[in-house]
Amino acid sequence: MAEIEPVVRAVGLTKVFRDFWGRPKARAVNDIDFEIRPGEVVGLLGPNGSGKSTTVKMLLGLLYPTGGKLSVFGRSPRAVETKREIGYLPEESYLYKYLTAEETLDFFGSLFDLSAADRKKRIDQLLEMVGMAHARRRRVGEFSKGMARRIGLAQAMINDPSFLILDEPTSGLDPLGCREVKDLILALKKRGKTVLVTSHLLSDVEDICDRVIILYGGKIRAQGELSELLTVSDSNRIVTPSLPQEAMEQIQEIIRKNLPAGDFTVDHPRRSLEDFFLNVINTAKRDSVETAGVVSGGKIADYLEKGDETSAVLASLIEEPKAAEPEKPAAVEEKVKNDDLSGKLENLTAEAVQEKPAPEETKPAEDLSEVDAKLDDLLGNRK
């Protein structure tokens, strides 16, 4: 049987950044070899400055390797055909803030030459999937970081990519949103998608990844399947349902006979904090506990959902031009008087300016008495 071609193959991959004079400044990625096979979820891990972002940029064709070979789907990462099959979620969601969620996805869909019918169909499905269907006509600039993150995740999948690169996909999301994103990644894996995840949240990586690649100093320090890397082979753990005290004492006595040093502990297994948190929330939902926060399906708070219809009505009223109300006769008369008064004052001021003497001359104050009298008469008539 023919060997399946890996989605990503890197051999001796190296990236050296140089200064203005061409001298080596930093060796960000230093002679690394790895593969990513179809249909698996791989975690690319490492502290800041370990070479993760540089590796991702080379996979995207944004940076050219200094040395070694790198192929994606058997082609160069810079090839247009390769880019069509990649979906990318950057660490920060850089979106056009004046576009709505719907317009944002439509824009990215048009970059892949999708027809208008296909774009509309995919936009509806993606917005529903990420829990943002209710905010499809809101501007992205109004979104919180978590909401923008959901739209960013949707745009990464608008072209139905075979290979997804997700940089910190759960950044800015609450625990419910994190769980939904992780479930989504696992669902994509079942559909045969290949996913590369970079994250500093190791618990998230542990939940979804088949394999991990750990970088430090531009080199791979460890890689392999999580089931092998995390298994502690020199100790055993027995998990049983709750046993009577007498049975526990018998089991402990047997262990003591086989462990001369008596170095063992007996305790109850612990669930993760995330599992406990989600269990509490799900129990509250089953009990129909009211909340103004996030509900199922990744949607926004209840009061926002219920206010959508009212908001739409208000928006239509604001956008609809109002007919000008006819002015009452008294108001018209008052407006005419005001206009007439303003005109007379302007004329009077112009006359005063024209009659003003040259700067070197000094006109006595009494010469302005005529202007003052006109002003008094005018204002007196107004009263």
Side-chain angles (χ1 to χ4, degrees):
M1 186 174 64
E3 183 181 356
I4 299 177
E5 181 73 16
V7 174
V8 175
R9 173 175 286 163
V11 179
L13 186 62
T14 302
K15 180 60 181 178
V16 178
F17 290 102
R18 302 180 182 276
D19 62 13
F20 177 79
W21 305 105
R23 298 172 298 190
K25 183 173 61 173
R27 187 175 290 269
V29 176
N30 189 6
D31 191 23
I32 64 175
D33 303 337
F34 68 92
E35 290 185 352
I36 299 178
R37 298 183 288 271
E40 68 175 352
V41 181
V42 177
L44 185 62
L45 310 179
N48 294 330
S50 60
K52 300 191 306 299
S53 297
T54 303
T55 302
V56 167
K57 289 177 181 178
M58 287 191 286
L59 288 173
L60 294 169
L62 302 177
L63 288 177
Y64 195 78
T66 305
K69 296 181 180 179
L70 176 64
S71 64
V72 181
F73 297 110
R75 300 183 293 265
S76 166
R78 302 169 72 90
V80 175
E81 295 80 5
T82 303
K83 295 180 183 295
R84 289 184 181 277
E85 298 187 54
I86 296 178
Y88 175 52
L89 174 67
E91 183 177 1
E92 295 291 338
S93 300
Y94 299 103
L95 304 172
Y96 295 105
K97 61 181 180 180
Y98 294 111
L99 295 181
T100 65
E102 189 174 34
E103 291 169 343
T104 297
L105 297 182
D106 185 72
F107 167 73
F108 283 101
S110 65
L111 296 180
F112 291 96
D113 293 329
L114 297 176
S115 65
D118 285 342
R119 293 201 303 270
K120 184 179 185 308
K121 182 178 179 181
R122 293 187 184 187
I123 289 169
D124 292 341
Q125 294 176 356
L126 287 172
L127 289 175
E128 186 67 30
M129 183 182 66
V130 299
M132 294 292 291
H134 64 288
R136 61 187 305 144
R137 292 183 176 85
R138 284 182 57 187
R139 290 184 177 181
V140 174
E142 302 174 2
F143 288 169
S144 66
K145 183 177 180 180
M147 295 171 71
R149 203 71 183 146
R150 293 170 186 264
I151 296 300
L153 185 61
Q155 67 84 23
M157 294 183 288
I158 189 68
N159 59 320
D160 192 18
S162 300
F163 180 36
L164 272 164
I165 301 177
L166 307 178
D167 196 352
E168 301 286 350
T170 57
S171 174
L173 297 178
D174 55 46
L176 291 174
C178 290
R179 170 51 62 184
E180 288 170 2
V181 169
K182 290 189 287 187
D183 289 343
L184 173 61
I185 293 174
L186 294 176
L188 292 172
K189 174 190 172 183
K190 291 181 179 178
R191 287 191 55 196
K193 305 291 186 183
T194 306
V195 184
L196 176 66
V197 178
T198 69
S199 178
H200 293 295
L201 302 176
L202 300 185
S203 60
D204 290 347
V205 174
E206 187 176 352
D207 288 341
I208 60 177
C209 290
D210 303 307
R211 293 193 302 119
V212 295
I213 301 170
I214 302 177
L215 297 174
Y216 185 82
K219 283 185 170 291
I220 295 179
R221 301 298 173 178
Q223 66 174 318
E225 296 185 5
L226 281 175
S227 57
E228 297 177 357
L229 296 177
L230 302 184
T231 299
V232 182
S233 57
D234 59 353
S235 64
N236 296 314
R237 180 174 63 181
I238 301 174
V239 179
T240 68
S242 181
L243 297 173
Q245 182 63 28
E246 182 180 353
M248 287 296 299
E249 291 176 356
Q250 293 175 359
I251 292 173
Q252 292 182 43
E253 184 61 28
I254 294 174
I255 295 175
R256 288 191 187 95
K257 290 180 180 179
N258 290 274
L259 285 177
D263 186 14
F264 72 96
T265 60
V266 177
D267 58 13
H268 295 285
R270 290 181 54 173
R271 71 187 84 180
S272 69
L273 178 58
E274 180 184 20
D275 288 339
F276 177 74
F277 176 88
L278 294 175
N279 181 62
V280 172
I281 299 301
N282 291 330
T283 301
K285 290 178 182 177
R286 287 195 298 268
D287 295 341
S288 300
V289 176
E290 293 185 1
T291 176
V294 174
V295 293
S296 60
K299 298 180 181 178
I300 306 303
D302 268 343
Y303 71 93
L304 290 177
E305 285 193 331
K306 293 176 181 177
D308 281 348
E309 183 177 354
T310 304
S311 300
V313 173
L314 288 175
S316 64
L317 291 176
I318 294 172
E319 293 173 0
E320 183 179 348
K322 295 183 179 179
E325 297 181 359
E327 295 182 343
K328 296 180 181 180
V332 174
E333 183 180 354
E334 187 71 18
K335 184 175 182 299
V336 171
K337 288 182 178 180
N338 289 336
D339 292 342
D340 183 57
L341 176 60
S342 300
K344 290 181 178 180
L345 285 173
E346 289 176 1
N347 294 334
L348 188 58
T349 305
E351 292 177 5
V353 171
Q354 292 176 357
E355 295 175 1
K356 187 175 180 181
E360 60 274 8
E361 297 180 4
T362 303
K363 189 170 184 177
E366 57 268 14
D367 291 345
L368 297 176
S369 59
E370 184 178 350
V371 176
D372 293 338
K374 291 181 180 180
L375 279 173
D376 291 337
D377 293 339
L378 184 60
L379 295 174
N381 293 335
R382 172 65 179 155
K383 294 179 181 178

